[in-house]
């Protein structure tokens, strides 16, 4: 049996465990010291109106990510035709917990601030474990063009951009990046 656990002190020591077919959530009962099943078969909604991103790095993002956030900010008056809310805990585990509970999308995109880093989050002990949980709950995970779980690690501290959460929103972000790459290749 494959199991993955994260403890989150902020959320009453909730524990999410990934099993072979889905995600279940436990919470630590402080009186008994035992974990109590809180929810079984967690399923992330395919659509969302909630996103988490550190907007302070906007100027360093690639054009497709800037376009995506611009569309969300415009809300109903923009091309998306609906309003979006920002939620940013600034801790991936907290944001993933919220996505597991009520849907959403978490983004730590590629940026040009430090050309030597492909992203901020580490593949082996941040992006992969959270991507596994999200995918087991019906969501998706990508670096913008490639599924996170398809990466072949090159070193233990390898960094990657991360976009994960509600399936349709992640697919939309990926489509913007793929389109941008195709256009760039056409113009070569």
């Amino acid at each position: 049996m494959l199991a993955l656990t994260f403890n989150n002190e902020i959320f009453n020591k909730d524990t999410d465990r990934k099993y072979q077919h889905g995600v279940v959530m436990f919470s630590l009962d402080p009186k008994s010291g035992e974990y109590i099943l809180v929810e079984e078969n967690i399923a992330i909604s395919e659509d969302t109106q909630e996103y988490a991103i550190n907007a302070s790095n906007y100027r360093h993002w690639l054009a497709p990510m800037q376009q995506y956030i611009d569309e969300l900010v415009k809300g109903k008056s923009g091309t998306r035709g609906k309003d979006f809310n920002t939620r940013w805990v600034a801790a991936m585990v907290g944001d993933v917990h919220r996505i597991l509970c009520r849907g959403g999308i978490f983004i730590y995109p590629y940026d040009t601030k430090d050309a030597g880093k492909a992203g901020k989050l580490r593949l082996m002990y941040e992006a992969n474990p959270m991507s596994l949980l999200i995918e087991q709950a019906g969501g998706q995970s990508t670096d913008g063009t490639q599924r996170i779980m398809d990466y072949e690690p090159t070193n233990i501290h390898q960094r990657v951009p991360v976009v994960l959460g509600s399936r349709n929103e992640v697919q939309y972000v990926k489509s913007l990046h793929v389109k941008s790459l195709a256009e760039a290749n056409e113009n070569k």
Side-chain angles (χ1 to χ4, degrees):
M1 175 178 5
L2 177 64
L4 171 76
T5 303
F6 70 78
N7 285 324
N8 187 347
E9 297 294 327
I10 297 169
F11 294 99
N12 299 321
K13 296 190 180 195
D14 285 342
T15 300
D16 296 310
R17 294 189 182 192
K18 184 267 166 205
Y19 294 99
Q20 198 167 11
H21 300 289
V23 177
V24 296
M25 188 177 295
F26 294 86
S27 184
L28 178 64
D29 178 355
K31 291 180 181 174
S32 70
E34 294 181 12
Y35 286 96
I36 299 168
L37 180 64
V38 174
E39 188 172 351
E40 292 184 89
N41 303 317
I42 294 174
I44 299 170
S45 60
E46 291 185 356
D47 294 300
T48 188
Q49 289 182 246
E50 204 166 84
Y51 67 101
I53 192 166
N54 181 358
S56 68
N57 291 317
Y58 178 91
R59 67 192 179 282
H60 301 292
W61 299 337
L62 300 177
M65 186 54 62
Q66 290 177 338
Q67 175 189 339
Y68 175 69
I69 296 302
D70 289 345
E71 289 176 5
L72 300 186
V73 169
K74 288 178 183 170
K76 283 184 182 178
S77 63
T79 58
R80 301 301 299 279
K82 63 181 181 178
D83 289 328
F84 287 80
N85 294 314
T86 303
R87 299 285 184 263
W88 178 248
V89 175
M92 185 182 198
V93 170
D95 284 313
V96 168
H97 179 270
R98 187 188 59 255
I99 290 168
L100 289 170
C101 290
R102 64 185 206 205
I105 185 170
F106 170 87
I107 308 164
Y108 220 117
Y110 176 85
D111 70 44
T112 60
K113 187 167 40 175
D114 184 346
K117 293 181 185 175
K120 181 182 183 299
L121 300 174
R122 286 147 187 103
L123 175 65
M124 295 299 294
Y125 45 92
E126 293 171 316
N128 268 346
M130 296 299 115
S131 294
L132 183 61
L133 277 172
I134 292 294
E135 288 186 6
Q136 285 294 309
Q140 282 193 337
S141 178
T142 181
D143 66 357
T145 59
Q146 179 181 339
R147 180 176 173 252
I148 298 284
M149 298 302 293
D150 288 341
Y151 264 84
E152 288 290 330
T154 58
N155 74 58
I156 191 72
H157 303 295
Q158 178 181 352
R159 295 173 186 260
V160 295
V162 175
V163 179
L164 57 76
S166 296
R167 176 179 299 276
N168 292 340
E169 212 58 33
V170 173
Q171 285 178 349
Y172 183 69
V173 171
K174 183 177 178 179
S175 74
L176 293 175
H177 282 81
V178 169
K179 179 182 174 191
S180 178
L181 280 174
E183 289 171 355
N185 288 335
E186 281 180 15
N187 294 331
K188 283 186 177 182

